[in-house]
């Protein structure tokens, strides 16, 4: 009986709420609509809030309230998980209200929205690049901000994602080997560029070993006149690698490459 009573009360409250929203939609009282929009935003009913904010925004354009309306519309879209629209609105705020009350937060939210839209490593990384650019700009402008630690964390994470994508590309070249060209060289170039572009990445050891491995394979499949030179380059690369990652996970594999390269150089010299 008690559960049935609670169900009826809940249903009645829901009907009243829906009725109030419908009345606001039909109302010509913009002040009431604005208050209703704020109320729906506070309650987490973001779609209703967005609709009402959009309805009153033209009426309040150029007034002291337009700043808060734009800010809350952006926040409502963020709450509704429409990060693309939210990012656009946060950016509009920073351009329209360059010295506004919420400009610091909005500048951060631009990057954060793009961060949330950043796709899987295997997909196009346009959103990732936009997020990195926005977060970098935010950190330059507001280095002491309360949002700076999170912005730096997301910035590093996104750069790691690009480094990982570069590593996967380099690995793909490596796996292609000599198919339709010297893909080992492409692997070396791709991995080398990634190390330069993302010097703080957690993938540096993987990239560095891939360079060593690619140089070894390139030497292995070279024409006879190039073999000795390329095995010597591999040996040099081994010492560069060991100098940085001598205690790392690739040590045994790297040692095998060194020993094999030395054997080939010795046999070539003997001949």
């Amino acid at each position: 009986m008690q559960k049935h009573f609670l169900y009826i009360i809940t249903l009645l409250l829901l009907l009243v709420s829906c009725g109030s929203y419908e009345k606001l939609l039909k109302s010509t009282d913009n002040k009431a609509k604005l208050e209703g929009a704020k109320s729906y935003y506070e309650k987490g009913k973001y779609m209703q809030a967005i609709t009402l904010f959009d309805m009153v925004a033209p009426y309040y354009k150029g007034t002291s309230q337009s700043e808060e309306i734009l800010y809350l519309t952006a926040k409502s879209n963020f709450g509704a998980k429409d990060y693309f629209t939210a990012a656009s609105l946060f950016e509009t705020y920073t351009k329209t209200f360059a010295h506004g009350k919420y400009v610091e937060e909005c500048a951060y939210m631009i990057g954060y929205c793009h961060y949330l839209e950043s796709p899987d490593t295997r997909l196009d990384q346009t959103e990732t690049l936009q997020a990195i650019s926005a977060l970098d700009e935010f950190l330059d402008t507001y280095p002491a901000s309360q949002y700076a630690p999170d912005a730096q964390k997301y910035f590093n994470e996104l750069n790691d994602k690009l480094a990982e994508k570069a590593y996967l590309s380099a690995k793909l070249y490596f796996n292609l080997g000599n198919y339709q060209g010297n893909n080992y060289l492409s692997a070396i170039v791709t991995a080398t560029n990634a190390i330069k572009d993302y010097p703080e990445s957690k993938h540096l050891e993987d990239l560095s070993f891939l360079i060593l491995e690619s140089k070894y394979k390139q030497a292995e499949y070279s024409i006879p006149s190039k073999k000795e030179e390329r095995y010597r380059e591999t040996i040099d690369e081994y010492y560069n690698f060991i100098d940085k990652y001598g205690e790392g996970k690739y040590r045994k594999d790297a040692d095998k490459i060194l020993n094999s390269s030395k054997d080939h150089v010795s046999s070539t010299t003997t001949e």
Side-chain angles (χ1 to χ4, degrees):
M1 188 71 180
Q2 187 177 7
K3 287 183 179 179
H4 183 65
F5 177 74
L6 289 173
Y7 172 78
I8 293 173
I9 293 297
T10 302
L11 182 60
L12 287 172
L13 289 173
L14 183 61
L15 290 172
V16 170
S17 175
C18 290
S20 299
Y21 177 64
E22 292 299 326
K23 286 180 181 179
L24 282 173
L25 290 177
K26 296 175 183 178
S27 174
T28 57
D29 187 344
N30 287 300
K31 184 177 180 181
K33 282 184 178 179
L34 178 55
E35 291 306 312
K38 290 180 181 179
S39 177
Y40 281 117
Y41 168 76
E42 293 296 334
K43 294 174 182 176
K45 296 182 178 181
Y46 299 116
M47 297 310 299
Q48 291 94 327
I50 291 167
T51 300
L52 292 171
F53 280 131
D54 285 345
M55 291 178 75
V56 301
Y59 176 80
Y60 285 100
K61 187 176 182 180
T63 70
S64 59
Q65 290 162 293
S66 61
E67 178 184 352
E68 185 181 25
I69 290 172
L70 178 56
Y71 169 73
L72 291 177
T73 305
K75 292 282 282 186
S76 296
N77 277 275
F78 180 82
K81 298 185 179 181
D82 184 354
Y83 303 126
F84 180 83
T85 302
S88 178
L89 291 171
F90 284 126
E91 186 171 3
T92 299
Y93 179 98
T94 61
K95 291 177 178 178
T96 308
F97 304 103
H99 302 287
K101 181 179 178 181
Y102 309 104
V103 67
E104 182 180 323
E105 179 187 354
C106 289
Y108 164 71
M109 290 299 292
I110 296 168
Y112 186 46
C113 285
H114 285 302
Y115 163 81
L116 292 173
E117 287 284 272
S118 177
D120 181 86
T121 308
R122 294 165 293 182
L123 302 177
D124 178 73
Q125 295 299 307
T126 299
E127 285 288 341
T128 303
L129 292 170
Q130 288 180 322
I132 288 173
S133 177
L135 291 169
D136 188 40
E137 183 177 348
F138 172 79
L139 289 165
D140 283 344
T141 308
Y142 305 102
S145 170
Q146 62 176 314
Y147 305 108
D150 283 339
Q152 188 65 60
K153 181 180 74 171
Y154 299 138
F155 180 83
N156 293 342
E157 185 179 324
L158 292 168
N159 273 283
D160 262 338
K161 178 180 283 190
L162 293 182
E164 181 182 359
K165 187 174 181 66
Y167 171 72
L168 292 175
S169 296
K171 191 70 175 177
L172 177 61
Y173 282 126
F174 178 83
N175 291 335
L176 286 171
N178 287 318
Y179 178 72
Q180 294 186 344
N182 182 4
N183 292 296
Y184 295 120
L185 178 59
S186 297
I188 293 166
V189 171
T190 302
T192 300
N193 288 338
I195 290 172
K196 291 178 181 177
D197 292 339
Y198 313 109
E200 304 298 323
S201 173
K202 63 184 180 183
H203 300 290
L204 295 182
E205 184 179 356
D206 298 320
L207 289 162
S208 297
F209 180 72
L210 187 58
I211 292 171
L212 173 61
E213 200 173 20
S214 297
K215 287 192 173 185
Y216 174 72
K217 285 294 184 181
Q218 184 175 234
E220 186 177 8
Y221 291 108
S222 290
I223 58 176
S225 61
K226 289 282 188 180
K227 279 185 178 291
E228 182 181 353
E229 175 189 350
R230 287 180 172 169
Y231 276 122
R232 290 187 183 278
E233 288 176 0
T234 302
I235 292 169
D236 290 340
E237 189 63 38
Y238 165 86
Y239 288 112
N240 288 333
F241 177 79
I242 291 302
D243 184 53
K244 295 178 181 178
Y245 307 107
E247 303 301 320
K249 58 186 176 181
Y250 295 111
R251 179 60 190 255
K252 289 184 179 179
D253 291 325
D255 287 345
K256 289 179 182 177
I257 288 174
L258 173 67
N259 293 332
S260 178
S261 297
K262 283 184 172 179
D263 287 344
H264 282 94
V265 169
S266 297
S267 63
T268 304
T269 305
T270 302
E271 291 174 5

